[in-house]
Amino acid sequence: MTIQTPQAVAEAFFHRIATAKEVSAIAELVSDDVDWLVPGNTQRVPWVGRKHGRAGVAEFYAQIRAELVPEHFEIKEILVKATRLVAIGSLASRVKKTQKLIETEFVLDMLIEEGLITRFRMFEDSYAVSEACL
């Protein structure tokens, strides 16, 4: 059964981020040609930047799991209009290499079409993320 509504897809996506043992389970919710971007300094922060397809999204989450220890993730509000979904939240993660804590609010801007995420943007305090990786 395919999850159809943007709200249901996003909720499944957030649940899988938190619980999936394999990153491929997260990537199953994005399209093969997803337009995925998390802006930031790619020389300091290996997981940010543009990713391509399901393999790129799986790589994103594999890198996050290798580099960070999650301490807090909260979605405060979800706004939906047709196929666009915006999620507003906050997170805290500890960088394994430096033991520094990243604390940031974020906005996720997604297009969800035919039960799959086709466009993903994460807006966060990329400067704080970059500094925590030093």
Side-chain angles (χ1 to χ4, degrees):
M1 181 175 94
T2 302
I3 302 165
Q4 291 300 319
T5 69
Q7 178 95 21
V9 172
E11 288 173 2
F13 179 71
F14 300 140
H15 180 73
R16 289 184 190 190
I17 289 170
T19 63
K21 293 191 188 298
E22 301 295 326
V23 293
S24 59
I26 302 166
E28 288 173 353
L29 293 174
V30 304
S31 70
D32 287 328
D33 58 350
V34 65
D35 178 12
W36 183 281
L37 178 63
V38 178
N41 185 338
T42 58
Q43 293 180 350
R44 285 191 187 174
V45 185
W47 60 87
V48 300
R50 188 168 298 281
K51 303 296 182 184
H52 302 283
R54 287 186 176 137
V57 172
E59 174 190 33
F60 174 83
Y61 285 104
Q63 288 174 311
I64 289 216
R65 289 178 176 186
E67 302 279 343
L68 301 176
V69 176
E71 296 197 5
H72 170 79
F73 181 85
E74 179 183 5
I75 301 294
K76 296 179 180 182
E77 190 163 6
I78 294 177
L79 310 168
V80 182
K81 183 175 181 182
T83 61
R84 172 164 258 149
L85 183 139
V86 174
I88 302 164
S90 62
L91 64 81
S93 300
R94 190 158 308 275
V95 179
K96 291 178 182 179
K97 182 172 71 174
T98 66
Q99 290 302 304
K100 292 180 182 176
L101 185 65
I102 300 167
E103 292 182 285
T104 185
E105 294 180 332
F106 64 84
V107 174
L108 303 176
D109 177 8
M110 296 185 272
L111 290 181
I112 301 172
E113 302 167 301
E114 298 179 16
L116 295 172
I117 299 165
T118 58
R119 181 181 182 277
F120 179 97
R121 298 289 185 277
M122 180 174 186
F123 302 100
E124 63 183 341
D125 184 350
S126 60
Y127 179 76
V129 173
S130 180
E131 288 297 302
C133 291
L134 286 177

